[in-house]
């Protein structure tokens, strides 16, 4: 029997700290989050690589999961500056963001590279949070659906056999860090497209695959976004750096 979405989907709230933080600021932030959170959802924090060990220590014995912001597509070797999935696994990393628009834009990551990174994460039992999303020019040209489907198709093509293990994050590029949020209706419409695509690839598992929304989600708009039927959580940038804001988003996810 196909599981209903209510049965399978606990929401996931994941913070993406991007290139922010310091040893002292991280400690203050994580302690405040752990003290204030009574999550009815799954929570993850995706910290900069140098802080994985520190965050792992602070999150030990908590329900918060540790995440990374990227992972190498390669298992090891001459790839200066990269971190392999095995290295992340050594630090207890449970999630790795792949294909964030900032990586696609500033580091030229292609759909195929993102698919390979997702595969590398999955090979070590790390859940890839696969980001897809259109630019403003693509939205204005009526190409949103085509773009997000192309980005997700590359990941499905390479990882079809274990596609039910991924998390998808719909992050319209024009909404990231801009304070412009997709309306709940705009976001839901794209999430429904992605859900249908996942259904095609993984039929009975599609209902259980989490599709997060990301793009200026904050304490004020989280509840109405998270209320949408195909929005299973959030990937939060700026607001994840402020304990009271991130706590309110966590509280809205039930
Ligand atoms: C992100 O970086 O994934 C993101 C959604 O950022 P922000 O919440 O700041 O828009």
């Amino acid at each position: 029997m196909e599981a209903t979405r209510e049965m399978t989907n606990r929401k996931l709230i994941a913070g993406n700290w991007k290139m922010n933080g310091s040893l002292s600021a991280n400690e203050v932030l994580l302690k405040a989050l752990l003290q204030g959170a009574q999550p009815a959802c799954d929570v993850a924090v995706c910290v900069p690589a140098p802080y994985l060990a520190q965050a792992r220590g602070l999150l030990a014995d908590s329900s918060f999961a540790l995440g990374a912001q990227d992972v190498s597509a390669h298992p090891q070797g001459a790839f200066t500056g990269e971190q392999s999935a095995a290295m992340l696994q050594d630090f207890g990393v449970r999630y790795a963001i792949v294909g964030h628009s900032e990586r696609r834009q500033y580091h030229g990551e292609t759909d195929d590279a993102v698919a390979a990174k997702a595969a590398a994460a999955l090979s070590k039992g790390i859940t890839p949070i696969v980001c897809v999303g259109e630019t403003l020019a693509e939205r204005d040209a009526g190409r949103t659906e085509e773009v997000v489907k192309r980005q997700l198709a590359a990941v499905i093509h390479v990882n079809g056999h274990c596609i039910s293990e991924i998390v998808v994050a719909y992050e319209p590029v024009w909404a990231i860090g801009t304070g412009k949020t997709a309306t709940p209706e705009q976001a839901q419409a794209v999430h429904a497209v992605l859900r249908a695509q996942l259904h095609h690839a993984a039929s009975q598992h599609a209902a259980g695959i989490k599709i997060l929304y990301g793009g200026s989600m904050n304490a004020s708009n989280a509840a109405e976004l998270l209320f949408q039927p195909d929005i299973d959580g959030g990937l939060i940038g700026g607001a994840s750096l402020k304990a009271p804001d991130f706590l309110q988003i966590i509280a809205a996810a039930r």
Side-chain angles (χ1 to χ4, degrees):
M1 194 188 86
E2 187 165 333
T4 67
R5 298 195 11 77
E6 291 70 25
M7 281 160 65
T8 54
N9 271 16
R10 197 170 144 91
K11 292 198 192 308
L12 168 64
I13 299 297
N16 173 16
W17 289 5
K18 311 196 191 201
M19 197 172 72
N20 293 294
S22 65
L23 285 173
S24 52
N26 302 344
E27 185 169 345
V28 172
L29 176 57
L30 287 178
K31 283 185 172 166
L33 291 175
L34 293 177
Q35 207 173 25
Q38 291 176 316
C41 62
D42 294 334
V43 180
V45 285
C46 300
V47 309
Y51 297 129
L52 285 171
Q54 181 203 19
R56 183 192 200 184
L58 287 164
L59 297 178
D61 303 323
S62 83
S63 63
F64 281 33
L66 183 59
Q69 298 175 12
D70 189 23
V71 60
S72 178
H74 307 284
Q76 62 185 46
F79 300 100
T80 302
E82 298 196 18
Q83 288 88 38
S84 71
M87 292 171 183
L88 300 180
Q89 185 189 40
D90 269 349
F91 285 89
V93 165
R94 295 250 305 276
Y95 296 95
I97 298 171
V98 298
H100 191 281
S101 64
E102 288 152 16
R103 304 264 349 146
R104 293 179 190 261
Q105 190 181 347
Y106 306 139
H107 300 272
E109 286 189 9
T110 62
D111 295 341
D112 289 347
V114 173
K117 287 182 171 203
L122 288 165
S123 76
K124 294 294 172 193
I126 294 170
T127 301
I129 301 178
V130 176
C131 299
V132 301
E134 81 289 0
T135 63
L136 188 56
E138 288 164 341
R139 172 164 282 267
D140 288 347
R143 295 183 49 220
T144 298
E145 195 170 317
E146 168 207 325
V147 169
V148 298
K149 283 171 84 173
R150 187 202 72 223
Q151 292 171 330
L152 183 56
V155 176
I156 292 172
H157 180 69
V158 173
N159 300 282
H161 53 292
C162 47
I163 203 66
S164 61
E165 306 301 316
I166 74 167
V167 168
V168 179
Y170 169 54
E171 297 212 310
V173 179
W174 49 270
I176 296 179
T178 58
K180 287 184 201 152
T181 317
T183 64
E185 295 71 26
Q186 283 173 322
Q188 167 56 29
V190 179
H191 281 232
V193 165
L194 295 170
R195 181 83 59 203
Q197 189 178 4
L198 290 167
H199 199 267
H200 193 68
S203 55
Q204 76 271 26
H205 298 298
I209 300 176
K210 290 188 192 353
I211 308 179
L212 314 183
Y213 169 79
S216 299
M217 189 185 270
N218 58 39
S220 323
N221 61 27
E224 54 176 358
L225 284 160
L226 293 168
F227 184 69
Q228 299 301 308
D230 285 296
I231 299 186
D232 305 312
L235 182 56
I236 325 294
S240 72
L241 296 168
K242 299 174 211 143
D245 297 47
F246 198 52
L247 286 169
Q248 280 192 57
I249 296 171
I250 292 169
R254 44 189 71 253

